[in-house]
Amino acid sequence: MLKTPIARAVALATLGASLTIPTMAHAEFIKDSKAGLELRNFYYNNDFRDPASATSRGQSKQEEWAQGFLLRFESGFTEGTVGFGLDAMGLLGVKLDGGGGSGGTGLLPADLSSVNAAQRKAGSQDDYSHITYAAKARISKSTLKVGDLQLKNMAIASSDSRLLPQTFQGGQLNSMEIAGLTLDAGYLNRVNNRDSTNNQDIILSNVSGTNASGIRMNSGRQNLTDEFQFVGGTYKVMDNLTAAYYYSNLEEMYKQHSFNVVHVLPLADKQSLKTDLRYARSKDDGSTNIDNKAFGAMVTYALSGHSFGLGYQQMNGDTGFAYVGGTDPFLVNYVQVGHFGNREEKSWQARYDFNFASVGIPGLTFMTRYLTGDNIELGAGVAEGKEWERNTDIAYVFQNGALKNLGIRWRNATMRTNLPGVRDVDQNRLIVSYTLPLM
């Protein structure tokens, strides 16, 4: 696999970066470097449960099968007071089947030339690829990265739930100079989405053409911007108690304050009670009507390999929850299909997990959950909106033998709703992945 064009490109980029700093010591740069090639085979099917939709509401289903190649390189740092390094990814997606009228899953970019406008069916491209780079510098326990970034925090979390991951262009500073305290700040101006090959303006998600979210743009404004910034921190108050706060601003769209407290209470042997509390306050920033208070709580009781969870989420304000398009919003009831973050929505979640390692089958895990939401404000004279979703997730990673580290995952979802413009769906995802360490 190292002879593929994408692999050669990343290898040459890494070599070029090392040659540009000949006067610096390279020992740690090389010794601490890591590289791996992930092979990700992804089948995705959305059945909209609507036989008449081919002529009335769009495609009756979305179905695609694709192969992804993700070559990752993460260098160490050069020696000295200030250490320098480089991270890079080479990404390639190849269509195996689908897209001839059943595209739109997010696995592959749309092929506009193959769209059947009369029947409202979408096509997809045969392949797509791109390369990402991020330069980094480290002083003491603080690290600055500039370039293409994958982020995961309360303010913004890049999505990696399709064939290739979402990345952002910008800079991020992470500091752990104070024991127990992690400080985090960043500035982003472009995004490369999961089914895209180029960087674009950042989009505001959850803007609704119906009344489900209630989020609207001011007259003449698009929900696009080239500036997102965040700053926050996580503090380990005690070994079993963590508190976090983030402030974020999607320029001219919203300002958001997010809070999180996680507590794990040890009980008897192999038993614990985890409490996860979340609250976010979102306000408009000049070009929207955003006004939302989002509260969420998840309590999970763990007993040996079993976990039993109960969650509650409530939206208050003139609109639903606001977040950056394509990302994973920081909500306890954000699940496989829905986020349950519509205007005035109240939702419950019941979840069960089992790790088969507790009964002698390491690598096998199972999860199922059920969520129901109601009280969704749809406007005067309109009945309240309701929705429910059921998820099942079964995964196995081979532990030894010729197939060691090969992972297989099946994700199933059923969602039903009466929200205008939102369709019922039965969804299946089958993912086979394998990572080959290269260094």
Side-chain angles (χ1 to χ4, degrees):
M1 304 304 297
L2 284 175
K3 294 183 179 180
T4 63
I6 200 166
R8 289 199 299 267
V10 174
L12 290 172
T14 303
L15 176 61
S18 64
L19 292 176
T20 61
I21 47 177
T23 61
M24 298 183 179
H26 289 63
E28 301 302 317
F29 181 95
I30 300 299
K31 185 182 72 173
D32 295 335
S33 293
K34 296 181 293 184
L37 176 64
E38 180 184 353
L39 308 177
R40 185 182 296 182
N41 189 280
F42 208 126
Y43 170 77
Y44 192 112
N45 178 286
N46 272 335
D47 184 344
F48 291 112
R49 314 301 300 167
D50 183 3
S53 62
T55 57
S56 63
R57 300 179 65 187
Q59 299 169 220
S60 61
K61 71 173 182 179
Q62 296 172 333
E63 184 178 35
E64 292 180 307
W65 180 30
Q67 176 67 49
F69 301 87
L70 299 83
L71 181 62
R72 296 184 174 94
F73 172 79
E74 182 179 339
S75 80
F77 291 89
T78 59
E79 297 177 3
T81 303
V82 181
F84 296 92
L86 173 72
D87 294 342
M89 284 196 301
L91 304 170
L92 171 65
V94 179
K95 179 167 70 175
L96 300 178
D97 193 20
S102 63
T105 66
L107 293 187
L108 299 161
D111 182 4
L112 299 180
S113 65
S114 67
V115 174
N116 187 324
Q119 297 183 3
R120 305 177 71 181
K121 294 182 177 180
S124 55
Q125 298 179 21
D126 291 336
D127 58 75
Y128 67 118
S129 63
H130 62 278
I131 297 176
T132 70
Y133 307 93
K136 57 187 180 182
R138 183 180 65 187
I139 302 177
S140 184
K141 296 181 180 180
S142 297
T143 302
L144 173 67
K145 291 186 178 182
V146 178
D148 298 298
L149 308 170
Q150 284 185 265
L151 303 112
K152 188 172 182 61
N153 56 51
M154 293 162 52
I156 186 166
S158 303
S159 177
D160 194 15
S161 60
R162 295 294 191 275
L163 190 68
L164 303 181
Q166 178 190 48
T167 60
F168 288 86
Q169 277 192 343
Q172 181 183 21
L173 176 64
N174 187 274
S175 177
M176 295 183 288
E177 301 293 341
I178 302 174
L181 177 64
T182 299
L183 298 176
D184 190 16
Y187 177 90
L188 312 173
N189 59 9
R190 304 284 281 174
V191 60
N192 194 321
N193 287 310
R194 300 170 301 190
D195 57 351
S196 176
T197 61
N198 62 298
N199 289 293
Q200 308 164 40
D201 284 340
I202 301 171
I203 190 171
L204 167 65
S205 192
N206 214 16
V207 176
S208 178
T210 69
N211 290 327
S213 75
I215 297 178
R216 301 286 187 273
M217 300 301 303
N218 291 349
S219 178
R221 285 303 310 269
Q222 290 186 309
N223 58 324
L224 298 171
T225 184
D226 60 358
E227 185 173 344
F228 178 82
Q229 49 198 325
F230 65 88
V231 61
T234 302
Y235 183 60
K236 191 172 184 179
V237 182
M238 298 184 293
D239 287 342
N240 60 349
L241 176 63
T242 302
Y245 164 77
Y246 272 80
Y247 167 80
S248 58
N249 175 211
L250 185 61
E251 185 70 15
E252 297 189 0
M253 306 294 175
Y254 69 79
K255 297 178 180 178
Q256 189 173 88
H257 300 269
S258 301
F259 304 84
N260 180 221
V261 176
V262 178
H263 180 255
V264 179
L265 176 65
L267 300 174
D269 183 41
K270 296 183 180 180
Q271 297 184 51
S272 65
L273 186 67
K274 179 181 177 180
T275 303
D276 185 346
L277 302 177
R278 306 181 185 186
Y279 175 79
R281 179 70 171 110
S282 307
K283 291 284 292 182
D284 74 273
D285 191 35
S287 295
T288 69
N289 67 331
I290 291 172
D291 174 30
N292 174 262
K293 300 174 184 176
F295 170 77
M298 189 78 183
V299 178
T300 304
Y301 170 66
L303 171 63
S304 188
H306 304 271
S307 294
F308 306 88
L310 185 63
Y312 176 72
Q313 182 174 289
Q314 180 172 331
M315 301 291 128
N316 292 112
D318 295 335
T319 70
F321 188 73
Y323 60 100
V324 172
T327 64
D328 299 333
F330 193 68
L331 298 171
V332 295
N333 282 353
Y334 168 67
V335 287
Q336 185 167 328
V337 177
H339 53 59
F340 293 81
N342 295 299
R343 181 165 52 163
E344 296 292 336
E345 183 168 13
K346 299 177 182 178
S347 58
W348 290 89
Q349 175 183 170
R351 172 171 174 159
Y352 171 72
D353 293 76
F354 184 63
N355 189 334
F356 285 81
S358 63
V359 292
I361 312 177
L364 180 62
T365 58
F366 170 81
M367 183 279 294
T368 187
R369 62 190 167 204
Y370 176 82
L371 300 95
T372 179
D374 58 19
N375 197 55
I376 302 171
E377 176 61 47
L378 297 178
V382 182
E384 76 173 55
K386 298 180 180 181
E387 58 183 340
W388 64 263
E389 181 171 339
R390 181 178 59 244
N391 300 154
T392 301
D393 190 312
I394 302 174
Y396 181 67
V397 178
F398 288 86
Q399 303 296 295
N400 45 51
L403 298 179
K404 184 178 180 180
N405 296 326
L406 177 70
I408 302 175
R409 179 182 296 271
W410 172 56
R411 304 187 70 190
N412 170 268
T414 300
M415 189 273 285
R416 299 291 184 266
T417 179
N418 69 348
L419 297 181
V422 181
R423 301 164 66 183
D424 294 343
V425 64
D426 290 346
Q427 184 182 102
N428 284 284
R429 308 180 192 182
L430 182 62
I431 308 150
V432 180
S433 61
Y434 179 76
T435 299
L436 175 66
L438 302 178
M439 61 182 301

